[in-house]
Amino acid sequence: MSRQLLLSRIVIDPTICFGKPCIKGHRVWVSLVLDLLASGSSTQDILEQYPGIEEADVLACIAYGAEMS
């Protein structure tokens, strides 16, 4: 999946989650996913905790974090 396609899975809307970057269609913050990964959670762990999201969403969060750094 291309970087641009991954980044399109992340949305910023001032009326949703106080304007924090979230996974499109969900109220799961990018920062939450990155914090979980940094604390040692695997992608599979995250998918089990948030069954509505997909592996590509986790990759999109990583891509967004890389883009912002």
Side-chain angles (χ1 to χ4, degrees):
M1 187 174 287
S2 74
R3 183 177 190 81
Q4 204 58 17
L5 197 54
L6 281 175
L7 292 175
S8 72
R9 298 177 80 96
I10 304 299
V11 294
I12 300 172
D13 182 336
T15 64
I16 299 172
C17 295
F18 312 104
K20 289 189 172 204
C22 297
I23 297 171
K24 185 184 267 184
H26 303 277
R27 292 181 179 267
V28 179
W29 299 347
V30 168
S31 60
L32 171 66
V33 173
L34 294 177
D35 284 344
L36 289 170
L37 290 168
S39 68
S41 293
S42 68
T43 298
Q44 190 59 38
D45 293 336
I46 296 168
L47 296 177
E48 288 171 6
Q49 287 179 335
Y50 300 94
I53 66 173
E54 302 171 11
E55 183 178 2
D57 295 321
V58 175
L59 294 175
C61 291
I62 295 168
Y64 184 85
E67 189 76 17
M68 293 299 108
S69 67

